[in-house]
Amino acid sequence: YVKHCRLQYPNRDRVLEAVNLYMTEFAAREAAQVRLQAHKRQVPDEDGFITVTRGGRTGPARQDAAPELALTQKNKQKGLEDFYRFQTREKKKAKAMELMRKFESDKEKPE
């Protein structure tokens, strides 16, 4: 019974060592696969065409395009301010009230 229990629940150090070994091998295989995919994206085949593979670029192609990309992202974030129609109406109403208040204060000022 004791032998069966020991086989069922192995030593913690042995399990940890086996898991660490497996994870390092897995990470190495995964890194090799990523390198192979990146290499495939750059190497043309025998006809001179570059094979289209899954996954694209992680960033803009050129440094010139980076500020434009940042600007478009900022504009997208800006567009979500007034997502709902009532938010737009409330904003317009508040702006009109502010203009009326300024008009009244300007009207009261002596010339």
Side-chain angles (χ1 to χ4, degrees):
Y1 176 76
V2 174
K3 187 176 183 179
H4 174 70
C5 186
R6 284 188 185 147
L7 289 174
Q8 188 175 4
Y9 303 107
N11 189 0
R12 182 180 184 277
D13 295 333
R14 284 185 182 173
V15 171
L16 191 62
E17 183 180 325
V19 168
N20 285 338
L21 180 65
Y22 176 79
M23 290 306 293
T24 54
E25 288 175 5
F26 178 79
R29 273 188 271 131
E30 199 168 83
Q33 188 177 13
V34 167
R35 282 193 307 271
L36 180 66
Q37 290 294 328
H39 183 68
K40 272 187 180 178
R41 276 190 222 121
Q42 297 172 356
V43 176
D45 61 359
E46 59 273 355
D47 295 330
F49 294 102
I50 294 178
T51 307
V52 177
T53 59
R54 235 177 120 157
R57 296 183 177 151
T58 57
R62 298 180 305 184
Q63 290 292 346
D64 302 339
E68 294 171 14
L69 183 65
L71 186 63
T72 56
Q73 290 293 335
K74 193 180 286 188
N75 288 341
K76 281 184 183 179
Q77 291 294 333
K78 204 180 234 184
L80 294 179
E81 276 179 12
D82 301 330
F83 185 75
Y84 296 105
R85 187 175 281 177
F86 77 90
Q87 291 173 322
T88 308
R89 283 191 305 247
E90 287 177 356
K91 190 178 274 189
K92 283 182 181 179
K93 222 183 263 187
K95 192 173 183 179
M97 291 298 288
E98 179 69 22
L99 286 172
M100 286 178 60
R101 189 184 59 76
K102 284 182 181 179
F103 176 72
E104 291 296 326
S105 67
D106 288 345
K107 199 164 72 172
E108 292 174 1
K109 287 184 182 176
E111 290 186 30

